């Protein structure tokens, strides 16, 4: 064919096509990445390299692309990534080091038929121009809102804490994790450890998806007596796998959680019910069996096992109990002493979404008895909430914590807006750890959540003041060099004030307003003017909780981090957790009173170390 005999218009189109093909082939010839277009949203990338990572560019508004990694014609891994089509928001690493020296074929398939994305092809998308190979991946913090002392993943999405277990001086935190983007997906168990609940070490992904599905929430135990046959002292993880159905599987570690082997006969428990997840397992000494509490729709089901492999149904709990605005999730069941008595009670944590007191996600709890088969709630007509903020969900506790402590941690977000918060390198931190106990008030038993004593180690510079508030009183500089991470301790004595108020604020006019209403016996926190609240209509909120009446002395601890405020009243008799996204730190505090005055007996601000 003689190109010079064709029309000028057709010549131009043909030359453009040849240039595209030539430049694309040239990259393939000179690069360890060989890209071939398969048409209609499909293409292949062949990798020949000894480098550690394939770095994939992500655009958060793009649709998912399913990537199947193939070696010797066998799929060895799959993942869903929002590959960049028009711009790069950030990169995520795929670790390919275990395939060093072998040819990896990656099949890319667009997961939508939306006509807006018909141009998903190598020559039309940014991802094929920007994906690269590297021996390193930069995890240096680039987020203004990343918390200073709350746990958050180095990168990627995090939700429920999972598999929390203590062994040989280490607290293990596993968590729902997407290593390939900052939105929900590709759920695996991320992993971190700490010796003091303050300083964390990030470890590689502990349990990754397989043919049975992604890795949803669950728990872990130390099998000291080798009941499962994996070895005395093995850490055994029990978790939900989700694909078309939800089933329960187990994996074990004989190297203190550094690596896990999946049980060859998984799953160990199945059901015909769709919502069948989040197993919490513990050893019940009185009946010499393992007990599993499982979230099933809007109830909890209890199973028992001698060996973590074979499970027997025992009972169900939930009908007519507590809040039922949404699905029940992430249970926990444990025994606690009642302060000031010789009594002990069992506590059942039940996370609910939606249906919290202010919409979306929340943690409710029940207090009662457990005989190894059934849990009985002693106050079936009452609904009790563990935390009265918007951002305290999927609360669970550590197994085998030392000194019989019951230490809890929660996911600090809400499903109403978790995918929308204004961060991108990572999404969602955890709450501070909290020691749990029970106390009696007005004939009822309630759960107390007190900041764990290890948090005292964070304290550094402090400044103490005392003063009277009649009208208003402002402290312009709480601590020098305030970067948004501090703790406030307040002791207030009321002198006939109807409203005892204080607001954290910055020079941009952004504020978090808190107040005790002494007539209504309420404590509230208002974040409607806290900073960026525009990303979701459910975010700007005022939350509140009832407080005990007749108290003239009020004690409050506030843990403020770059994107959160956690309030603990009277030693943890109430707790309130809310995220905030100010454009700059809250450096000032303004006190105010209405209807009378009050004395700030002690106002102490501590700068908290990273």
């Amino acid at each position: 064919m003689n190109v010079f005999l064709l029309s000028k218009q057709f010549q131009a189109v043909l030359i453009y096509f040849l240039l595209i093909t030539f430049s694309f082939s040239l990259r393939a010839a000179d690069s360890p990445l060989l890209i071939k277009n398969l048409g209609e949203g499909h293409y292949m990338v062949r990798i020949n390299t000894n480098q550690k990572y394939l770095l994939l560019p992500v655009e958060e508004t793009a649709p998912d692309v399913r990537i199947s990694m193939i070696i010797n014609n066998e799929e060895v891994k799959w993942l869903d990534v929002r590959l960049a089509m028009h711009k790069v928001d950030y990169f995520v690493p795929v670790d390919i080091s275990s395939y060093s020296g072998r040819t990896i074929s990656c099949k890319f398939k667009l997961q939508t038929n939306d006509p807006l994305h018909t141009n998903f092809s190598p020559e039309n998308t940014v991802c094929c121009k920007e994906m690269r190979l590297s021996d390193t991946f930069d995890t240096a913090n680039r987020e203004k809102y990343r918390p200073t002392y709350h746990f958050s993943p180095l990168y990627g999405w995090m939700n429920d804490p999972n598999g929390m277990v203590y062994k040989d001086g280490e607290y293990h935190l596993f968590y729902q994790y997407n290593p390939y983007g900052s939105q929900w997906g590709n759920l695996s168990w991320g992993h971190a450890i700490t010796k003091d609940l303050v300083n964390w070490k990030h470890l590689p992904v502990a349990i990754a998806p397989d043919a049975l599905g992604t890795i949803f929430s669950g728990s872990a135990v130390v099998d000291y007596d080798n009941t499962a046959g994996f070895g005395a002292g093995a850490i055994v993880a029990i978790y939900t796998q989700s694909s078309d159905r939800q089933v329960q599987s187990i994996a074990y570690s004989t190297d203190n959680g550094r690596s896990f082997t999946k049980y060859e006969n998984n799953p160990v428990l199945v059901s015909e019910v769709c919502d069948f997840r989040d197993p919490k397992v513990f050893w019940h000494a009185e009946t010499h069996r393992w007990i599993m509490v499982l979230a099933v729709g809007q109830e909890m089901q209890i199973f028992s096992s001698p060996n973590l492999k074979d499970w027997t149904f025992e009972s169900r709990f939930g009908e007519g109990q507590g809040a039922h605005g949404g699905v029940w999730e992430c249970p926990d069941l444990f025994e606690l002493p009642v302060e000031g008595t010789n009594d002990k009670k069992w506590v059942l944590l039940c996370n609910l979404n939606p249906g919290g007191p202010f919409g979306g996600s929340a943690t409710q709890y029940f207090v009662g008895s457990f005989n190894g088969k059934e849990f009985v709630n002693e106050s079936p007509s009452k609904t009790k909430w563990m935390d009265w903020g918007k951002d305290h969900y999927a609360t669970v506790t550590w197994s085998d914590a030392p000194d019989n402590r019951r230490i809890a941690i929660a996911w600090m977000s809400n499903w109403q807006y978790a995918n929308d918060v204004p961060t991108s390198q990572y999404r969602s931190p955890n709450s501070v750890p909290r020691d749990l106990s029970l106390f009696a008030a007005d004939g009822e038993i309630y759960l107390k959540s007190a900041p764990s004593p290890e948090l005292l180690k964070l304290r550094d510079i402090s400044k103490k003041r005392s003063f009277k508030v009649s009208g208003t009183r402002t402290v312009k500089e709480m601590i020098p060099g305030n970067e948004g991470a501090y703790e406030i301790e307040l002791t207030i004595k009321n002198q006939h004030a109807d409203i005892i108020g204080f607001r954290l604020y910055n020079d941009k006019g952004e504020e978090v307003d808190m107040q005790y209403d002494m007539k209504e016996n309420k404590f509230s926190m208002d974040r409607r003017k806290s900073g960026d609240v525009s990303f979701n209509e459910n975010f700007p909120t005022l939350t509140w909780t009832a407080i005990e009446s007749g108290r003239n002395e009020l004690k409050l601890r506030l843990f403020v981090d770059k994107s959160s405020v956690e309030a603990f009243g009277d030693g943890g008799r109430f707790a309130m957790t809310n995220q905030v996204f100010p454009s700059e730190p809250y450096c000032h505090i303004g006190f105010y009173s209405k209807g009378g005055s009050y004395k700030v007996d002690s106002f102490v601000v501590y700068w908290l170390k990273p």
Side-chain angles (χ1 to χ4, degrees):
M1 179 177 64
N2 189 339
V3 71
F4 297 104
L5 298 178
L6 302 176
S7 70
K8 290 184 178 180
Q9 184 178 17
F10 188 76
Q11 287 180 38
V13 171
L14 183 59
I15 291 170
Y16 175 76
F17 174 78
L18 291 172
L19 285 172
I20 289 289
T21 304
F22 176 73
S23 62
F24 197 59
S25 301
L26 181 64
R27 181 194 176 190
D30 293 346
S31 168
L33 295 176
L34 173 64
I35 306 174
K36 294 185 177 181
N37 190 4
L38 304 181
E40 296 182 340
H42 297 67
Y43 59 88
M44 295 280 291
V45 177
R46 183 160 293 168
I47 304 170
N48 291 286
T49 184
N50 291 320
Q51 291 182 284
K52 185 173 183 178
Y53 297 116
L54 171 65
L55 301 184
L56 297 174
V58 173
E59 182 182 354
E60 289 206 333
T61 58
D64 276 330
V65 173
R66 171 63 56 90
I67 302 176
S68 298
M69 298 180 64
I70 301 166
I71 294 180
N72 290 338
N73 302 315
E74 297 286 340
E75 184 182 70
V76 295
K77 185 183 183 73
W78 62 265
L79 51 142
D80 293 327
V81 182
R82 295 174 180 244
L83 286 178
M85 300 187 71
H86 308 101
K87 66 183 181 71
V88 179
D89 292 330
Y90 52 85
F91 286 84
V92 293
V94 181
D95 190 340
I96 57 175
S97 59
S98 59
Y99 313 123
S100 178
R102 308 173 74 181
T103 298
I104 308 169
S105 296
C106 294
K107 184 171 68 174
F108 289 62
K109 180 182 178 183
L110 188 66
Q111 298 294 95
T112 180
N113 294 318
D114 190 331
L116 293 174
H117 303 293
T118 54
N119 288 330
F120 183 77
S121 60
E123 60 269 23
N124 291 325
T125 54
V126 170
C127 60
C128 288
K129 301 178 180 67
E130 295 293 337
M131 74 172 68
R132 63 194 67 162
L133 295 158
S134 176
D135 285 322
T136 59
F137 177 67
D138 180 16
T139 58
N141 182 39
R142 294 181 292 278
E143 291 283 355
K144 66 180 291 186
Y145 293 126
R146 184 184 288 276
T148 297
Y149 57 90
H150 291 79
F151 176 82
S152 61
L154 285 175
Y155 64 93
W157 163 276
M158 179 179 76
N159 57 289
D160 307 354
N162 296 154
M164 293 155 54
V165 67
Y166 178 87
K167 185 174 186 288
D168 294 340
E170 294 177 336
Y171 293 91
H172 292 263
L173 170 64
F174 303 93
Y175 52 90
Q176 293 286 273
Y177 184 45
N178 180 7
Y180 307 118
S182 297
Q183 294 183 322
W184 188 91
N186 298 303
L187 288 181
S188 312
W189 272 23
H191 189 193
I193 56 172
T194 179
K195 293 181 180 294
D196 59 7
L197 298 174
V198 170
N199 298 289
W200 294 92
K201 179 181 179 181
H202 296 272
L203 295 177
V205 168
I207 305 176
D210 57 34
L212 289 176
T214 52
I215 312 302
F216 273 23
S217 293
S219 54
V221 297
V222 180
D223 187 8
Y224 287 106
D225 296 327
N226 194 25
T227 63
F230 301 136
I235 296 177
V236 182
I238 309 97
Y239 51 90
T240 299
Q241 293 204 255
S242 181
S243 56
D244 296 331
R245 309 296 287 179
Q246 294 181 352
V247 299
Q248 315 313 313
S249 295
I250 61 176
Y252 62 93
S253 172
T254 57
D255 58 1
N256 275 4
R258 270 54 178 183
S259 64
F260 279 86
T261 301
K262 293 172 180 173
Y263 179 48
E264 61 182 0
N265 292 321
N266 279 336
V268 297
L269 185 60
V270 300
S271 172
E272 297 178 3
V273 181
C274 292
D275 292 318
F276 184 70
R277 57 179 176 265
D278 309 342
K280 176 66 177 190
V281 174
F282 64 94
W283 178 254
H284 189 249
E286 289 77 8
T287 56
H288 301 285
R289 299 179 304 171
W290 296 103
I291 300 297
M292 176 193 292
V293 188
L294 201 66
V296 184
Q298 289 199 5
E299 69 178 18
M300 300 302 182
Q301 293 185 2
I302 296 175
F303 298 80
S304 66
S305 172
N307 57 12
L308 297 169
K309 300 172 182 175
D310 305 299
W311 293 93
T312 301
F313 173 78
E314 297 290 352
S315 64
R316 53 174 40 92
F317 170 83
E319 185 176 357
Q321 311 278 329
H324 285 268
V327 68
W328 283 16
E329 295 185 312
C330 301
D332 202 347
L333 181 61
F334 47 85
E335 193 176 29
L336 285 176
V338 181
E339 290 182 353
T341 74
N342 294 320
D343 293 339
K344 289 185 176 182
K345 302 281 186 179
W346 283 82
V347 178
L348 175 61
L349 299 186
C350 170
N351 293 275
L352 172 73
N353 179 59
F358 306 103
S361 319
T363 304
Q364 63 179 325
Y365 68 92
F366 309 94
V367 179
S369 61
F370 178 66
N371 62 5
K373 290 180 174 288
E374 295 178 304
F375 173 80
V376 178
N377 177 20
E378 65 182 28
S379 300
S381 63
K382 287 187 175 291
T383 299
K384 299 176 180 179
W385 300 104
M386 187 175 179
D387 188 286
W388 291 88
K390 285 280 286 188
D391 296 307
H392 187 270
Y393 192 62
T395 315
V396 285
T397 65
W398 266 279
S399 299
D400 298 311
D403 303 320
N404 294 316
R405 293 170 64 189
R406 185 57 57 174
I407 308 168
I409 204 166
W411 177 49
M412 194 157 59
S413 196
N414 192 305
W415 280 115
Q416 288 183 324
Y417 43 74
N419 282 288
D420 303 328
V421 296
T423 64
S424 61
Q425 184 183 28
Y426 80 100
R427 277 201 174 87
S428 300
N430 284 330
S431 69
V432 294
R434 307 169 184 202
D435 275 48
L436 306 183
S437 59
L438 294 173
F439 69 97
D442 301 324
E444 283 287 334
I445 304 297
Y446 294 99
L447 188 63
K448 179 189 286 188
S449 300
S452 294
E454 285 85 352
L455 295 169
L456 297 174
K457 300 174 185 176
L458 290 169
R459 291 178 174 178
D460 197 338
I461 300 171
S462 67
K463 193 168 185 178
K464 183 176 180 178
R465 305 170 178 89
S466 61
F467 44 83
K468 184 176 180 178
V469 178
S470 180
T472 61
R473 174 70 179 260
T474 299
V475 178
K476 289 292 288 183
E477 185 183 42
M478 290 187 287
I479 50 173
N482 186 347
E483 295 182 352
Y486 51 90
E487 178 193 349
I488 294 175
E489 276 192 316
L490 274 171
T491 301
I492 294 171
K493 290 184 178 177
N494 192 19
Q495 297 174 343
H496 310 297
D498 295 331
I499 299 293
I500 296 172
F502 39 93
R503 60 188 186 94
L504 300 171
Y505 67 101
N506 60 26
D507 292 329
K508 301 291 186 181
E510 299 162 341
E511 66 178 32
V512 178
D513 185 43
M514 288 165 273
Q515 62 176 236
Y516 288 93
D517 186 324
M518 304 306 290
K519 282 192 170 181
E520 297 290 331
N521 294 311
K522 291 181 179 179
F523 174 84
S524 63
M525 186 186 302
D526 188 347
R527 69 175 181 193
R528 289 174 292 186
K529 299 178 182 178
S530 58
D532 186 356
V533 299
S534 64
F535 52 85
N536 188 288
E537 63 181 4
N538 295 299
F539 188 80
T541 315
L542 181 147
T543 60
W544 62 271
T545 181
I547 59 174
E548 296 171 66
S549 61
R551 297 179 69 93
N552 285 324
E553 184 175 84
L554 306 168
K555 291 182 179 292
L556 188 70
R557 288 177 72 183
L558 297 175
F559 285 84
V560 182
D561 212 338
K562 292 189 175 182
S563 54
S564 63
V565 179
E566 291 169 275
F568 298 90
D570 298 318
R573 289 165 89 96
F574 74 80
M576 187 176 290
T577 303
N578 285 311
Q579 292 185 95
V580 291
F581 298 97
S583 58
E584 60 184 42
Y586 306 124
C587 295
H588 320 303
I589 184 168
F591 293 87
Y592 60 91
S593 66
K594 295 180 182 179
S597 61
Y598 61 89
K599 182 182 180 184
V600 178
D601 224 25
S602 177
F603 169 55
V604 187
V605 184
Y606 300 92
W607 180 76
L608 298 187
K609 296 174 290 187

